[in-house]
Amino acid sequence: MKENPIILGIESSCDETAAAVIRGRTILSDEIISSAAVQAKYGGVVPEIASRAHTDAIGEVVSRALDTAGIGKEELDAVAVTYGAGLLGALLVGLSFGKALSYALGIPLIGVNHIRGHLAAAYLEDEKLEPPFVTLLASGGHTAILYTKSYTEFEVLGGTRDDAAGEAFDKIARVLSLPYPGGPQIEALARTGQNRIPMPKMLKGLGGYDFSYSGLKTHIINYVHTMSQRGEEFCAADVACSFQHAALDILAEKVVEAAKERGVKTVTAGGGVIANGYLRELLQAQCGRAGLKLVLPAKKRCTDNAAMIAAEGLIGYRAGNFSPLTLNAAASIPLR
Ligand code: KG4
Ligand code: ZN
């Protein structure tokens, strides 16, 4: 077993076909071919279109990752690939490709849980980062606060009771007639608006580290419909800005609270919503005030990418957690 193995990561769970090569925790390449622009026409990801796009892109994206890294296939020590959660047909493209490479090259296959990949992205940002720490996870499918005890063990301290944060961004974007994916659109629009539309306080009312986005979502849908029915103009930028504050302030607040309660000195974050500039600044400010070190993955490694899959693969490699070639894709798998 090598101390710093060369690992190829492959990701194809949604609309990004991605491949990356890492050596130890150093990123040698990180390539993506996205079908998001095609999907935007349909207002969301169409599974069959995603599968076809992955089939077209997988060979090219893996070649690009190896070329950019300057690594020959025979130099790889393992292949890490997302096996779930995600769109089944999409996952199968990356997984089959990864299995074929593993078999042909005689190197271990490491099946990676996509969400654990998001959690592992922070390890690539700071090579000295070590557990324990508290993490804010906010993606399209999950919103949770976790306590990471060791590289392979974590505890879920709380999570959303209904929609995930990213899902809420996507739904509010639709209400405001913004294209998919909604997160970056809302963020851009919010920059020109003001936080002056009252939002329900219920988000903060939930105890512990749980969240709920359904009340906030319903409130905004009602607000927009009522204004339209009355024929009154409303400022979409103000709606975006007020929503963004209500949806994200609570995340920063609770992750800092959890870190203090657990007595850790470090906070990390992962998932698409962590690419949000307002949330990043808020986390910096609040962790700074609380004397906590904050490790944020680069924006491009918050949204789906293969470097984070390789990073989780490195943890699996060091723990000797290899997968059989019979590993199947899974549309949904628990967080742990
Ligand atoms: O982690 P991710 O790429 O995919 C999942 O594993 O779900 O997250 C995608 C989610 C989408 O809901 C998208 O709208 C949201 O992350 N997102 C953002 C931003 N960029 C992506 N949300 C808020 N602000 C952003 N800048
Ligand atoms: Zn993701």
Side-chain angles (χ1 to χ4, degrees):
M1 204 79 79
K2 292 190 185 163
E3 173 69 17
N4 288 312
I6 300 175
I7 299 183
L8 170 71
I10 298 177
E11 153 66 33
S12 71
S13 66
C14 192
D15 55 354
E16 324 277 8
T17 321
V21 179
I22 62 172
R23 180 190 283 118
R25 285 206 210 173
T26 306
I27 301 166
L28 302 183
S29 65
D30 189 8
E31 299 289 324
I32 290 188
I33 297 178
S34 175
S35 69
V38 183
Q39 309 283 1
K41 282 193 235 155
Y42 302 92
V45 180
V46 180
E48 178 61 16
I49 294 177
S51 305
R52 291 178 191 212
H54 286 307
T55 309
D56 288 343
I58 187 81
E60 188 184 333
V61 86
V62 169
S63 297
R64 271 197 219 166
L66 290 168
D67 289 352
T68 309
I71 294 290
K73 286 195 278 291
E74 63 296 336
E75 291 176 81
L76 294 173
D77 295 305
V79 49
V81 51
T82 307
Y83 75 96
L87 303 169
L88 210 55
L91 288 163
L92 281 169
V93 177
L95 182 58
S96 307
F97 203 93
K99 283 182 184 179
L101 274 178
S102 152
Y103 181 71
L105 299 169
I107 54 174
L109 174 75
I110 304 165
V112 171
N113 174 338
H114 179 86
I115 292 300
R116 294 188 74 136
H118 277 301
L119 300 177
Y123 289 121
L124 299 174
E125 199 57 38
D126 178 353
E127 297 206 8
K128 295 201 174 67
L129 173 67
E130 274 179 26
F133 49 79
V134 162
T135 304
L136 170 62
L137 167 69
S139 71
H142 286 86
T143 301
I145 291 184
L146 306 109
Y147 169 65
T148 297
K149 284 185 223 171
S150 71
Y151 286 100
T152 53
E153 297 165 291
F154 64 83
E155 208 180 295
V156 181
L157 302 181
T160 179
R161 297 186 181 181
D162 36 62
D163 289 355
E167 198 178 350
F169 270 82
D170 294 336
K171 287 180 179 169
I172 298 307
R174 277 186 96 113
V175 173
L176 297 178
S177 306
L178 298 170
Y180 172 87
Q185 301 283 337
I186 297 255
E187 181 183 356
L189 186 61
R191 260 185 243 124
T192 64
Q194 287 179 36
N195 178 20
R196 62 179 174 196
I197 299 172
M199 292 290 149
K201 291 276 173 274
M202 56 167 294
L203 266 177
K204 303 200 187 228
L206 287 175
Y209 300 110
D210 280 355
F211 313 99
S212 167
Y213 283 103
S214 68
L216 181 59
K217 186 186 67 190
T218 311
H219 177 82
I220 293 176
I221 292 173
N222 287 343
Y223 174 81
V224 169
H225 285 175
T226 309
M227 294 297 270
S228 320
Q229 271 166 5
R230 284 193 201 144
E232 284 179 38
E233 292 265 321
F234 67 89
C235 175
D238 287 352
V239 173
C241 184
S242 308
F243 161 73
Q244 183 167 269
H245 277 264
L248 301 180
D249 290 359
I250 189 79
L251 297 179
E253 201 176 290
K254 289 210 173 180
V255 74
V256 167
E257 212 175 287
K260 284 186 192 158
E261 190 200 299
R262 286 289 161 144
V264 299
K265 300 267 173 289
T266 309
V267 166
T268 74
V273 179
I274 309 298
N276 184 285
Y278 168 73
L279 177 59
R280 294 172 81 86
E281 279 172 23
L282 199 63
L283 286 167
Q284 291 287 3
Q286 300 205 358
C287 287
R289 230 174 283 135
L292 296 163
K293 180 180 166 180
L294 175 68
V295 181
L296 285 180
K299 285 188 184 182
K300 65 176 284 206
R301 273 183 280 282
C302 289
T303 45
D304 290 348
N305 66 90
M308 70 181 196
I309 302 303
E312 179 61 19
L314 174 63
I315 293 171
Y317 179 94
R318 287 180 172 159
N321 283 335
F322 302 134
S323 308
L325 286 174
T326 51
L327 177 68
N328 208 348
S332 81
I333 36 178
L335 204 50
R336 33 174 312 122

